[in-house]
Amino acid sequence: MAILRKTAEVCRDIATAKGHDFTLPVRKRLKTAVHNACSTSSDSSSALSTLGFYSAITEIYLSNAAVDQVFAFSEAHHIDNEAFSEGRGLITRGVAAVKASVQQESYISARISLGALCHTLQDFYSHSNWVELGSTAPFSALIKPDLPLNNIAGPSTPTCKSCTGPNCVDNILPEILLQKKITSGYFSIYSSTKPAGKCSHGGFLDRTSSREPTGGINKDDISSEHGFLHQRAADMAISATMEVLQDIRLAIGDQAFLRLMGLKQTSVLAFVIDTTGSMSDDIEEAKRVSFSIIDSRRGTSEEPSEYILVPFNDPDFGPLTRTEDADLFKERINSLSAFGGGDFPEMCLSGLLLALAGAPLSSDIFVFTDASAKDTELKSTVQATIERTKSTVTFMLTNPFLFRRRMDASQSQGSTSRSIPLSDIQLYRDLAHVSGGQTIEVTRATLSQATAVITDASTSALVTLFQVVRNPAIAENFTFVLDPSLSNVTVYVTGDSPVFTIYSPTGVSQSGSVTDGPLGSILTVGNLKRVKLNPDNQTGEWKISIDSTSFYSLKVTGQSSVNFLFNFVQRLEGGDFTPKANRPFTGRNATLFVSVTGGDSITVTDVLLVEASGSDVVTGTIKAVGATDFLVNIDRIPEWAFVVQLKGLLNDSTRSLPSQFLRQSPTQQQGSRFTITAQPNSTIEPGTPFVLNFTLVTNATGGSYTIRARTDRSFSVSFPSSLDAGTDGSAQGTVTLTAPSNTESGTDVTLTIEAEDPESGDSNYMALRFTVMTKVTDFSSPVCQVVSIKADCPVECSRASWELSTNITDVNGTGIAGVSLSRGNGSLSLSNVMSADGTNVTVAFYNASCCSPEVELVAVDRVGNVGTCFTSIKSPSTTVITNGSSTVSPNGSTTVSLNGSSTVSPNGSLTVSPNGSSTVSPNGSSTASPNGSSTVSPNGSLTVSPNGSSTVSPNGSSTASPNGSLTVSPNGSSTASPNGSLTVSPNGSSTASPNGSLTVSPNGSTTLSSNGSYSVSFSMCVALVGLLVSFLYG
């Protein structure tokens, strides 16, 4: 809920700044409504991937839920047992990890960290007595480690009394409530021990709740002991999550925030390119097709949102280029050149593995090569990564069976002839098959035609409707359904000798040998036939008949907003579920979490596991858990590899009856007879070995298993080469992972632990993603110091502008990383200077039209701490403020000077010098000299002399003459006459009349209206009265 609300808020602000409309449909499902609203208010509305957004939300949700399984007994992760400091440590380190990951564009890791930290943050409101204390706002100290954790109940302070039977409404001690002491319930499933007098968490699993004081205080659901406060706790948790999301938003910026939420992803252009000597023509073609896609789609709704490039040869591969900048991608790919290649096999799978790890989930990746893979031992790791990331890999093989020439970089002459062995081509086919991609075998002369497949794949909202592979081949008929939401439907048939005919729902047919026919146009190049169906009259059931003497594949794709994503999950007590990071158990039941895109018009009827190379089907049982989310129970995971297929009905307003729709996951999945489990930590420190214990569990007893462990970044990994399962069918192992000491914070690394049964060939894996984080010690926010504000704004605001100059420093922190505008549409310029004491100062100069009277600067330091500086003028006004400094403290208080320096401390004291110096102490006293000196005594009396003198009697009342009259009543309020009147109410607020009026609100903010208005919204305190006197009479 909080994530959707904050995402909608960001989209609204972006739309408003661009002058676009923003409408959030109230009758739509919330997730769909937010996506649609953000899409229609964007410059590239149709390109925003619904699946990317749903996938991001799902990743965060499942990461949140996983805390209950992975850290079930950690008091810090749930802020049980009064572990407030430890819980805050997890939250603040998690926030730092999110910001660092986003800086490295590691958005998946950022989502994992975000989900986990939100669990701990939200548990505070359910497991503590914050709500019972009558709190109306979140406990901000949980996300701000520079603030103290005040008023925590001491370790020996009793906090609860026993519940009266099942009634636990008033079991928190009255003195705890009166003193506003913060506590949380104790929890253990093993022991009833807890400190004397302490509250328990409660519930049937909590053994401490049976010991005095009995009962509990958790608000996890409405049936909990304090379930009557569940909704209030949930609302408070949402507000707290909004608060932490706002901090993250300010630190990373709006565009990166939307990428974090999956809303900026359209399509990905991802190339893995062999750069050995014979590949010069291939490299040139990769440049041509990528440049064509970039140039033709730049600024349109189909412009790719991200670009991936990984070169490889032998013995090198990489580096990974991952960027949103199309020009940078063009620069990198343009710099590639063909060289070397002494022996033929290359590090193809290493390069592919790096691309799979770096690309977003469900990406289409294209591999260009004319050689065998040297690193074939990575096949199982690549396959596991494909399954996990659900990415599609297509191999573009040039001259696979022909004479090839490879020039060694050290030789000017010489050649060898060798083709890719059929067994090595089969390796590429196997990986393409698993991923739902293709193996396209062409000559260099026809490569430019085959790259049309890349253009097809690099479009937004691409869906797979149907896909099969047959090896060995048999004559077979296949059917697939096209629905009204589809466009740009394309059929791909790859193989050495397939013969096919396509039939439309109306019975019209077209042979695969007809280039241009009644159903579409067919491109034949190498072993690929690409059928582009005509856009008219596509809806209904289609048929394709294929006959072949050897391997072939069939794939049907299109563009549509209707799609789905799925994850295998494990159900937990209480109804929650967590994602599985490995293959499900063969022969056992399993649960799929399915999320469907497409809005309110979709009805899901079937979720099936379909045999990848056959026709067997396993049908799941569907249970809705939300408007667009479903849990699907599979009674038995099959022995064979499978794809997930979704069927349903699409309600179309142009048709009287719903239309059938069909979607299929392109990536294969499979089960295993054993599994691997581990308890991960989300972060590791560079240079420090991280030890991970894992467990292998099998259906059988005994047996030896081969163990492999690798990372996608070639970090140092040590592990046992094999494990022997005992009589209980399990074995324990340890992996030690070490990130290099110079690894940047925010770098993500995926550790894959594989186990294989050498007798059967059965294998499974455990994929764990970590964020490398240097320990953060800087938690201080940047400080903004207002140097000057110049405003001369007439009634017609468009005729003039105003200026703001500020100095921004990070004091003893890590340094300012950036300054940006979060409010205001003026121009901002930055420069860096060194102060007299050696402090690096970022000077920010802002200029805006008087019609844009507000600005908020956001300063972010190098570890993501955020400081804001908000200034507002109220037009029309005539205010010039120069030669004065201003300090903004962390709580936002500030001072504006008039011909003299001024400082406002957190308690409100003020000093103005030298032209009318004034001092205001914490109780409000003030002295001004000599151009209208004034004295305010502790009880509120005031004397102004000689130009408009005023005397305040002991009871506080005062009257001044008409040229600047002032009346102060005993309760502190004052009224001045029309030429400069002022009213101060008992809480410190004041209102003056139109020709120079000033308003001070209860929090100290001031507004000066009509002829001379000025507003600063930071805490200003009653000291502004002395400042006003100096202004009126000085």
Side-chain angles (χ1 to χ4, degrees), residues 91 290 314 696 898 965 990:
I91 293 168
S290 62
D314 178 31
L696 184 149
L898 292 167
S965 64
S990 66

Side-chain angles (χ1 to χ4, degrees), residues 613-634:
S613 298
S615 56
D616 285 349
V617 173
V618 174
T619 302
T621 303
I622 304 171
K623 177 185 178 182
V625 291
T628 59
D629 300 328
F630 305 87
L631 284 178
V632 181
N633 184 65
I634 307 297

